């Protein structure tokens, strides 16, 4: 698939990094969402999270992934929309750390690890998206 450039006068990479970062975020979010939806009952005891939380989070991740795919495929990527994704990802990462602290009694060691690893991955997505936005000035 050919990435279409952002409609800005000067870009050092034609918006390729931003599009790549959005698609990478979509792939990771979508995969985690599908796993949460499909295996919620199996993961409950392993992670220390209720099946309803896993299903709700999974559904959110799938919907979020679809939105990212749509955004990345747009001929013109809205800078405010891209910044919303960056800020949302940073908030999600911070919120995940707060969730680990708040749920430390119920989460298993594996659950803590999964939440912290996904928080780190989301922070990396935010960094890549931010770098993509900077290059697309």
């Amino acid at each position: 698939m050919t990435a279409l450039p952002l409609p800005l006068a000067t870009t050092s990479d034609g918006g390729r990094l931003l599009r790549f970062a959005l698609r990478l975020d979509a792939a990771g979010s979508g995969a985690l969402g599908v796993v949460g939806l499909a295996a919620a009952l199996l993961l409950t005891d392993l992670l220390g999270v209720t099946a309803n939380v896993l299903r709700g989070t999974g559904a959110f991740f799938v919907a979020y992934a679809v939105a990212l795919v749509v955004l990345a495929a747009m001929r013109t990527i809205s800078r405010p929309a891209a910044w919303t994704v960056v800020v949302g990802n940073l908030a999600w990462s911070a919120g995940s750390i707060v969730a680990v602290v708040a749920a430390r009694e119920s989460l298993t060691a594996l659950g803590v690890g999964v939440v912290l690893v996904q928080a780190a991955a989301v922070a990396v997505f935010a960094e890549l998206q931010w770098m993509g936005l900077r290059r697309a000035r």
Side-chain angles (χ1 to χ4, degrees):
M1 183 182 299
T2 303
L4 299 172
L6 291 169
L8 304 172
T10 58
T11 61
S12 60
D13 74 347
R16 288 187 305 269
L17 178 58
L18 178 58
R19 288 180 195 285
F20 170 77
L22 291 169
R23 290 179 181 129
L24 184 64
D25 191 352
S29 298
L32 195 57
V34 168
V35 168
L37 288 169
L41 291 176
L42 297 172
L43 294 173
T44 297
D45 290 336
L46 285 173
L47 302 178
V49 179
T50 68
N52 286 338
V53 168
L54 289 169
R55 284 187 199 108
T57 305
F60 171 79
F61 281 154
V62 169
Y64 179 67
V66 169
L68 290 176
V69 167
V70 169
L71 181 61
M74 295 178 91
R75 181 164 165 53
T76 302
I77 295 178
S78 159
R79 289 184 73 81
W83 275 114
T84 299
V85 171
V86 171
V87 171
N89 279 342
L90 292 173
W92 184 274
S93 291
S96 295
I97 294 166
V98 170
V100 165
V101 172
R104 68 185 173 278
E105 299 294 323
S106 64
L107 288 174
T108 65
L110 180 60
V112 169
V114 167
V115 173
L116 293 179
V117 166
Q118 69 80 34
V122 171
V124 169
F125 297 152
E127 173 71 15
L128 288 170
Q129 291 154 355
W130 175 74
M131 288 171 50
L133 275 163
R134 283 188 50 212
R135 286 186 183 180
R137 279 194 225 188

mmCIF file of all heavy atoms in Angstrom, residues 20-22 24-29 32 61 64 68 85-86 88-90 92-94 96-97 112-130:
data_model
loop_
_atom_site.group_PDB
_atom_site.id
_atom_site.type_symbol
_atom_site.label_atom_id
_atom_site.label_comp_id
_atom_site.label_asym_id
_atom_site.label_seq_id
_atom_site.Cartn_x
_atom_site.Cartn_y
_atom_site.Cartn_z
ATOM 1 N N PHE A 20 2.920 4.940 9.473
ATOM 2 C CA PHE A 20 3.445 3.680 9.991
ATOM 3 C C PHE A 20 3.116 3.518 11.470
ATOM 4 O O PHE A 20 2.670 2.452 11.913
ATOM 5 C CB PHE A 20 4.963 3.609 9.771
ATOM 6 C CG PHE A 20 5.609 2.460 10.486
ATOM 7 C CD1 PHE A 20 5.505 1.171 9.986
ATOM 8 C CD2 PHE A 20 6.307 2.672 11.663
ATOM 9 C CE1 PHE A 20 6.094 0.103 10.653
ATOM 10 C CE2 PHE A 20 6.892 1.615 12.338
ATOM 11 C CZ PHE A 20 6.787 0.326 11.834
ATOM 12 N N ALA A 21 3.334 4.571 12.251
ATOM 13 C CA ALA A 21 3.086 4.513 13.695
ATOM 14 C C ALA A 21 1.607 4.289 14.001
ATOM 15 O O ALA A 21 1.260 3.535 14.913
ATOM 16 C CB ALA A 21 3.585 5.797 14.368
ATOM 17 N N LEU A 22 0.736 4.929 13.240
ATOM 18 C CA LEU A 22 -0.703 4.724 13.433
ATOM 19 C C LEU A 22 -1.087 3.285 13.092
ATOM 20 O O LEU A 22 -1.868 2.646 13.818
ATOM 21 C CB LEU A 22 -1.506 5.704 12.572
ATOM 22 C CG LEU A 22 -1.428 7.175 12.984
ATOM 23 C CD1 LEU A 22 -2.047 8.064 11.906
ATOM 24 C CD2 LEU A 22 -2.090 7.406 14.340
ATOM 25 N N LEU A 24 0.922 0.631 13.116
ATOM 26 C CA LEU A 24 1.526 -0.244 14.118
ATOM 27 C C LEU A 24 0.683 -0.257 15.393
ATOM 28 O O LEU A 24 0.419 -1.323 15.969
ATOM 29 C CB LEU A 24 2.954 0.222 14.419
ATOM 30 C CG LEU A 24 3.764 -0.638 15.380
ATOM 31 C CD1 LEU A 24 3.997 -2.023 14.787
ATOM 32 C CD2 LEU A 24 5.101 0.050 15.665
ATOM 33 N N ASP A 25 0.248 0.905 15.813
ATOM 34 C CA ASP A 25 -0.635 1.037 16.973
ATOM 35 C C ASP A 25 -1.933 0.270 16.725
ATOM 36 O O ASP A 25 -2.420 -0.466 17.590
ATOM 37 C CB ASP A 25 -0.914 2.516 17.227
ATOM 38 C CG ASP A 25 -1.593 2.820 18.550
ATOM 39 O OD1 ASP A 25 -2.011 1.888 19.263
ATOM 40 O OD2 ASP A 25 -1.710 4.020 18.862
ATOM 41 N N ALA A 26 -2.478 0.395 15.531
ATOM 42 C CA ALA A 26 -3.715 -0.318 15.187
ATOM 43 C C ALA A 26 -3.516 -1.823 15.246
ATOM 44 O O ALA A 26 -4.368 -2.555 15.769
ATOM 45 C CB ALA A 26 -4.199 0.096 13.802
ATOM 46 N N ALA A 27 -2.397 -2.298 14.728
ATOM 47 C CA ALA A 27 -2.132 -3.747 14.735
ATOM 48 C C ALA A 27 -2.012 -4.273 16.161
ATOM 49 O O ALA A 27 -2.611 -5.304 16.509
ATOM 50 C CB ALA A 27 -0.867 -4.048 13.942
ATOM 51 N N GLY A 28 -1.259 -3.582 16.991
ATOM 52 C CA GLY A 28 -1.094 -4.015 18.373
ATOM 53 C C GLY A 28 -2.386 -3.937 19.162
ATOM 54 O O GLY A 28 -2.753 -4.871 19.887
ATOM 55 N N SER A 29 -3.092 -2.830 19.008
ATOM 56 C CA SER A 29 -4.359 -2.652 19.720
ATOM 57 C C SER A 29 -5.391 -3.666 19.256
ATOM 58 O O SER A 29 -6.102 -4.267 20.069
ATOM 59 C CB SER A 29 -4.897 -1.232 19.517
ATOM 60 O OG SER A 29 -4.001 -0.291 20.042
ATOM 61 N N LEU A 32 -4.480 -7.221 20.585
ATOM 62 C CA LEU A 32 -4.775 -7.331 22.014
ATOM 63 C C LEU A 32 -6.277 -7.341 22.260
ATOM 64 O O LEU A 32 -6.776 -8.078 23.115
ATOM 65 C CB LEU A 32 -4.104 -6.178 22.770
ATOM 66 C CG LEU A 32 -3.990 -6.309 24.276
ATOM 67 C CD1 LEU A 32 -3.247 -7.571 24.673
ATOM 68 C CD2 LEU A 32 -3.289 -5.098 24.850
ATOM 69 N N PHE A 61 -10.319 -1.735 22.380
ATOM 70 C CA PHE A 61 -9.118 -1.857 21.551
ATOM 71 C C PHE A 61 -9.455 -2.127 20.091
ATOM 72 O O PHE A 61 -8.818 -1.579 19.196
ATOM 73 C CB PHE A 61 -8.205 -2.969 22.069
ATOM 74 C CG PHE A 61 -7.366 -2.596 23.257
ATOM 75 C CD1 PHE A 61 -6.935 -3.571 24.136
ATOM 76 C CD2 PHE A 61 -6.992 -1.289 23.498
ATOM 77 C CE1 PHE A 61 -6.151 -3.255 25.226
ATOM 78 C CE2 PHE A 61 -6.208 -0.959 24.589
ATOM 79 C CZ PHE A 61 -5.782 -1.950 25.458
ATOM 80 N N TYR A 64 -10.841 1.091 18.620
ATOM 81 C CA TYR A 64 -9.735 2.036 18.510
ATOM 82 C C TYR A 64 -8.855 1.679 17.320
ATOM 83 O O TYR A 64 -8.438 2.554 16.546
ATOM 84 C CB TYR A 64 -8.936 2.018 19.819
ATOM 85 C CG TYR A 64 -7.734 2.925 19.850
ATOM 86 C CD1 TYR A 64 -7.862 4.307 19.824
ATOM 87 C CD2 TYR A 64 -6.447 2.384 19.936
ATOM 88 C CE1 TYR A 64 -6.755 5.136 19.862
ATOM 89 C CE2 TYR A 64 -5.335 3.204 19.977
ATOM 90 C CZ TYR A 64 -5.497 4.577 19.944
ATOM 91 O OH TYR A 64 -4.397 5.396 19.992
ATOM 92 N N LEU A 68 -7.913 3.945 14.053
ATOM 93 C CA LEU A 68 -6.541 4.249 13.638
ATOM 94 C C LEU A 68 -6.287 3.864 12.186
ATOM 95 O O LEU A 68 -5.607 4.593 11.453
ATOM 96 C CB LEU A 68 -5.538 3.525 14.546
ATOM 97 C CG LEU A 68 -5.449 4.031 15.975
ATOM 98 C CD1 LEU A 68 -4.493 3.160 16.773
ATOM 99 C CD2 LEU A 68 -5.025 5.492 16.035
ATOM 100 N N VAL A 85 -4.552 11.281 19.278
ATOM 101 C CA VAL A 85 -4.053 9.912 19.440
ATOM 102 C C VAL A 85 -2.816 9.903 20.333
ATOM 103 O O VAL A 85 -2.710 9.088 21.255
ATOM 104 C CB VAL A 85 -3.750 9.268 18.065
ATOM 105 C CG1 VAL A 85 -3.037 7.935 18.233
ATOM 106 C CG2 VAL A 85 -5.032 9.095 17.262
ATOM 107 N N VAL A 86 -1.885 10.823 20.101
ATOM 108 C CA VAL A 86 -0.663 10.888 20.911
ATOM 109 C C VAL A 86 -1.002 11.134 22.376
ATOM 110 O O VAL A 86 -0.541 10.415 23.274
ATOM 111 C CB VAL A 86 0.294 11.989 20.391
ATOM 112 C CG1 VAL A 86 1.463 12.214 21.348
ATOM 113 C CG2 VAL A 86 0.797 11.644 18.995
ATOM 114 N N GLY A 88 -3.884 10.735 23.884
ATOM 115 C CA GLY A 88 -4.647 9.602 24.396
ATOM 116 C C GLY A 88 -3.752 8.432 24.748
ATOM 117 O O GLY A 88 -3.949 7.770 25.782
ATOM 118 N N ASN A 89 -2.756 8.167 23.919
ATOM 119 C CA ASN A 89 -1.829 7.080 24.216
ATOM 120 C C ASN A 89 -1.012 7.363 25.473
ATOM 121 O O ASN A 89 -0.789 6.470 26.295
ATOM 122 C CB ASN A 89 -0.905 6.815 23.023
ATOM 123 C CG ASN A 89 -1.553 5.962 21.971
ATOM 124 O OD1 ASN A 89 -2.546 5.285 22.214
ATOM 125 N ND2 ASN A 89 -0.991 5.971 20.774
ATOM 126 N N LEU A 90 -0.569 8.597 25.624
ATOM 127 C CA LEU A 90 0.177 8.949 26.841
ATOM 128 C C LEU A 90 -0.710 8.824 28.075
ATOM 129 O O LEU A 90 -0.270 8.312 29.123
ATOM 130 C CB LEU A 90 0.748 10.358 26.718
ATOM 131 C CG LEU A 90 1.848 10.527 25.670
ATOM 132 C CD1 LEU A 90 2.213 11.998 25.516
ATOM 133 C CD2 LEU A 90 3.071 9.686 26.025
ATOM 134 N N TRP A 92 -3.295 6.827 28.341
ATOM 135 C CA TRP A 92 -3.529 5.392 28.552
ATOM 136 C C TRP A 92 -2.339 4.765 29.289
ATOM 137 O O TRP A 92 -2.529 3.969 30.211
ATOM 138 C CB TRP A 92 -3.765 4.684 27.218
ATOM 139 C CG TRP A 92 -4.093 3.241 27.417
ATOM 140 C CD1 TRP A 92 -3.211 2.204 27.555
ATOM 141 C CD2 TRP A 92 -5.389 2.672 27.570
ATOM 142 N NE1 TRP A 92 -3.882 1.032 27.760
ATOM 143 C CE2 TRP A 92 -5.216 1.288 27.780
ATOM 144 C CE3 TRP A 92 -6.670 3.206 27.542
ATOM 145 C CZ2 TRP A 92 -6.292 0.423 27.956
ATOM 146 C CZ3 TRP A 92 -7.742 2.340 27.711
ATOM 147 C CH2 TRP A 92 -7.545 0.974 27.925
ATOM 148 N N SER A 93 -1.119 5.125 28.896
ATOM 149 C CA SER A 93 0.071 4.584 29.553
ATOM 150 C C SER A 93 0.104 4.971 31.030
ATOM 151 O O SER A 93 0.339 4.126 31.898
ATOM 152 C CB SER A 93 1.344 5.076 28.865
ATOM 153 O OG SER A 93 1.458 4.515 27.600
ATOM 154 N N ALA A 94 -0.150 6.233 31.304
ATOM 155 C CA ALA A 94 -0.165 6.692 32.695
ATOM 156 C C ALA A 94 -1.297 6.025 33.475
ATOM 157 O O ALA A 94 -1.111 5.581 34.621
ATOM 158 C CB ALA A 94 -0.308 8.209 32.745
ATOM 159 N N SER A 96 -2.603 3.166 32.924
ATOM 160 C CA SER A 96 -2.286 1.755 33.136
ATOM 161 C C SER A 96 -1.421 1.579 34.385
ATOM 162 O O SER A 96 -1.614 0.635 35.158
ATOM 163 C CB SER A 96 -1.558 1.185 31.921
ATOM 164 O OG SER A 96 -2.396 1.186 30.794
ATOM 165 N N ILE A 97 -0.493 2.487 34.579
ATOM 166 C CA ILE A 97 0.358 2.425 35.773
ATOM 167 C C ILE A 97 -0.485 2.671 37.024
ATOM 168 O O ILE A 97 -0.348 1.967 38.029
ATOM 169 C CB ILE A 97 1.522 3.422 35.657
ATOM 170 C CG1 ILE A 97 2.436 2.982 34.509
ATOM 171 C CG2 ILE A 97 2.294 3.534 36.969
ATOM 172 C CD1 ILE A 97 3.434 4.014 34.063
ATOM 173 N N VAL A 112 0.074 -7.989 36.248
ATOM 174 C CA VAL A 112 0.867 -6.763 36.400
ATOM 175 C C VAL A 112 1.821 -6.625 35.221
ATOM 176 O O VAL A 112 1.934 -5.561 34.606
ATOM 177 C CB VAL A 112 1.644 -6.761 37.737
ATOM 178 C CG1 VAL A 112 2.676 -5.634 37.771
ATOM 179 C CG2 VAL A 112 0.685 -6.641 38.913
ATOM 180 N N GLY A 113 2.486 -7.720 34.874
ATOM 181 C CA GLY A 113 3.426 -7.691 33.763
ATOM 182 C C GLY A 113 2.757 -7.334 32.449
ATOM 183 O O GLY A 113 3.272 -6.510 31.684
ATOM 184 N N VAL A 114 1.607 -7.935 32.173
ATOM 185 C CA VAL A 114 0.894 -7.659 30.925
ATOM 186 C C VAL A 114 0.490 -6.189 30.849
ATOM 187 O O VAL A 114 0.675 -5.536 29.821
ATOM 188 C CB VAL A 114 -0.336 -8.589 30.768
ATOM 189 C CG1 VAL A 114 -1.255 -8.116 29.651
ATOM 190 C CG2 VAL A 114 0.111 -10.018 30.515
ATOM 191 N N VAL A 115 -0.050 -5.664 31.940
ATOM 192 C CA VAL A 115 -0.486 -4.261 31.934
ATOM 193 C C VAL A 115 0.707 -3.327 31.746
ATOM 194 O O VAL A 115 0.639 -2.368 30.968
ATOM 195 C CB VAL A 115 -1.268 -3.911 33.219
ATOM 196 C CG1 VAL A 115 -1.565 -2.428 33.295
ATOM 197 C CG2 VAL A 115 -2.559 -4.716 33.286
ATOM 198 N N LEU A 116 1.810 -3.619 32.419
ATOM 199 C CA LEU A 116 2.977 -2.740 32.296
ATOM 200 C C LEU A 116 3.638 -2.844 30.919
ATOM 201 O O LEU A 116 4.085 -1.829 30.368
ATOM 202 C CB LEU A 116 3.981 -3.035 33.411
ATOM 203 C CG LEU A 116 3.512 -2.673 34.821
ATOM 204 C CD1 LEU A 116 4.577 -3.043 35.845
ATOM 205 C CD2 LEU A 116 3.131 -1.212 34.931
ATOM 206 N N VAL A 117 3.669 -4.038 30.349
ATOM 207 C CA VAL A 117 4.247 -4.188 29.007
ATOM 208 C C VAL A 117 3.392 -3.462 27.971
ATOM 209 O O VAL A 117 3.918 -2.766 27.094
ATOM 210 C CB VAL A 117 4.433 -5.684 28.652
ATOM 211 C CG1 VAL A 117 4.696 -5.878 27.169
ATOM 212 C CG2 VAL A 117 5.568 -6.276 29.473
ATOM 213 N N GLN A 118 2.062 -3.604 28.081
ATOM 214 C CA GLN A 118 1.224 -2.889 27.108
ATOM 215 C C GLN A 118 1.317 -1.384 27.329
ATOM 216 O O GLN A 118 1.277 -0.626 26.363
ATOM 217 C CB GLN A 118 -0.228 -3.400 27.097
ATOM 218 C CG GLN A 118 -1.075 -3.105 28.301
ATOM 219 C CD GLN A 118 -1.652 -1.705 28.339
ATOM 220 O OE1 GLN A 118 -1.991 -1.123 27.320
ATOM 221 N NE2 GLN A 118 -1.760 -1.171 29.527
ATOM 222 N N ALA A 119 1.482 -0.936 28.569
ATOM 223 C CA ALA A 119 1.659 0.500 28.822
ATOM 224 C C ALA A 119 2.942 1.004 28.171
ATOM 225 O O ALA A 119 2.960 2.092 27.571
ATOM 226 C CB ALA A 119 1.679 0.781 30.319
ATOM 227 N N ALA A 120 4.006 0.222 28.254
ATOM 228 C CA ALA A 120 5.273 0.606 27.623
ATOM 229 C C ALA A 120 5.130 0.627 26.102
ATOM 230 O O ALA A 120 5.620 1.543 25.433
ATOM 231 C CB ALA A 120 6.385 -0.354 28.045
ATOM 232 N N ALA A 121 4.434 -0.366 25.542
ATOM 233 C CA ALA A 121 4.224 -0.411 24.091
ATOM 234 C C ALA A 121 3.422 0.799 23.629
ATOM 235 O O ALA A 121 3.753 1.426 22.610
ATOM 236 C CB ALA A 121 3.513 -1.706 23.699
ATOM 237 N N VAL A 122 2.409 1.168 24.376
ATOM 238 C CA VAL A 122 1.581 2.320 24.015
ATOM 239 C C VAL A 122 2.407 3.608 24.096
ATOM 240 O O VAL A 122 2.249 4.499 23.266
ATOM 241 C CB VAL A 122 0.309 2.378 24.896
ATOM 242 C CG1 VAL A 122 -0.444 3.678 24.703
ATOM 243 C CG2 VAL A 122 -0.595 1.189 24.590
ATOM 244 N N ALA A 123 3.290 3.686 25.075
ATOM 245 C CA ALA A 123 4.171 4.856 25.165
ATOM 246 C C ALA A 123 5.097 4.929 23.951
ATOM 247 O O ALA A 123 5.360 6.022 23.419
ATOM 248 C CB ALA A 123 4.976 4.812 26.458
ATOM 249 N N VAL A 124 5.565 3.783 23.474
ATOM 250 C CA VAL A 124 6.404 3.757 22.267
ATOM 251 C C VAL A 124 5.584 4.207 21.053
ATOM 252 O O VAL A 124 6.070 4.983 20.219
ATOM 253 C CB VAL A 124 7.013 2.358 22.047
ATOM 254 C CG1 VAL A 124 7.658 2.239 20.668
ATOM 255 C CG2 VAL A 124 8.027 2.043 23.142
ATOM 256 N N PHE A 125 4.336 3.733 20.960
ATOM 257 C CA PHE A 125 3.469 4.186 19.868
ATOM 258 C C PHE A 125 3.320 5.704 19.905
ATOM 259 O O PHE A 125 3.409 6.371 18.865
ATOM 260 C CB PHE A 125 2.078 3.548 19.944
ATOM 261 C CG PHE A 125 2.050 2.058 19.787
ATOM 262 C CD1 PHE A 125 1.039 1.327 20.385
ATOM 263 C CD2 PHE A 125 3.002 1.382 19.047
ATOM 264 C CE1 PHE A 125 0.990 -0.048 20.247
ATOM 265 C CE2 PHE A 125 2.959 0.001 18.900
ATOM 266 C CZ PHE A 125 1.945 -0.719 19.504
ATOM 267 N N ALA A 126 3.093 6.254 21.091
ATOM 268 C CA ALA A 126 2.935 7.709 21.232
ATOM 269 C C ALA A 126 4.200 8.430 20.783
ATOM 270 O O ALA A 126 4.125 9.456 20.089
ATOM 271 C CB ALA A 126 2.592 8.071 22.674
ATOM 272 N N GLU A 127 5.349 7.902 21.162
ATOM 273 C CA GLU A 127 6.625 8.517 20.774
ATOM 274 C C GLU A 127 6.796 8.495 19.255
ATOM 275 O O GLU A 127 7.171 9.503 18.647
ATOM 276 C CB GLU A 127 7.786 7.769 21.441
ATOM 277 C CG GLU A 127 9.154 8.208 20.978
ATOM 278 C CD GLU A 127 9.563 9.595 21.458
ATOM 279 O OE1 GLU A 127 8.933 10.135 22.370
ATOM 280 O OE2 GLU A 127 10.534 10.141 20.893
ATOM 281 N N LEU A 128 6.517 7.367 18.629
ATOM 282 C CA LEU A 128 6.632 7.273 17.172
ATOM 283 C C LEU A 128 5.660 8.225 16.474
ATOM 284 O O LEU A 128 6.012 8.876 15.480
ATOM 285 C CB LEU A 128 6.377 5.841 16.707
ATOM 286 C CG LEU A 128 7.475 4.829 17.012
ATOM 287 C CD1 LEU A 128 6.989 3.416 16.708
ATOM 288 C CD2 LEU A 128 8.738 5.157 16.227
ATOM 289 N N GLN A 129 4.445 8.308 16.997
ATOM 290 C CA GLN A 129 3.446 9.208 16.408
ATOM 291 C C GLN A 129 3.865 10.656 16.582
ATOM 292 O O GLN A 129 3.729 11.476 15.655
ATOM 293 C CB GLN A 129 2.075 8.928 17.028
ATOM 294 C CG GLN A 129 1.539 7.571 16.605
ATOM 295 C CD GLN A 129 0.574 6.969 17.592
ATOM 296 O OE1 GLN A 129 0.328 7.489 18.683
ATOM 297 N NE2 GLN A 129 -0.012 5.836 17.214
ATOM 298 N N TRP A 130 4.398 10.995 17.732
ATOM 299 C CA TRP A 130 4.879 12.347 17.978
ATOM 300 C C TRP A 130 6.038 12.684 17.023
ATOM 301 O O TRP A 130 6.070 13.767 16.432
ATOM 302 C CB TRP A 130 5.322 12.476 19.440
ATOM 303 C CG TRP A 130 5.937 13.799 19.779
ATOM 304 C CD1 TRP A 130 5.276 14.987 19.923
ATOM 305 C CD2 TRP A 130 7.313 14.082 19.980
ATOM 306 N NE1 TRP A 130 6.178 15.992 20.220
ATOM 307 C CE2 TRP A 130 7.430 15.453 20.266
ATOM 308 C CE3 TRP A 130 8.457 13.293 19.976
ATOM 309 C CZ2 TRP A 130 8.656 16.056 20.524
ATOM 310 C CZ3 TRP A 130 9.680 13.902 20.243
ATOM 311 C CH2 TRP A 130 9.753 15.271 20.499
#
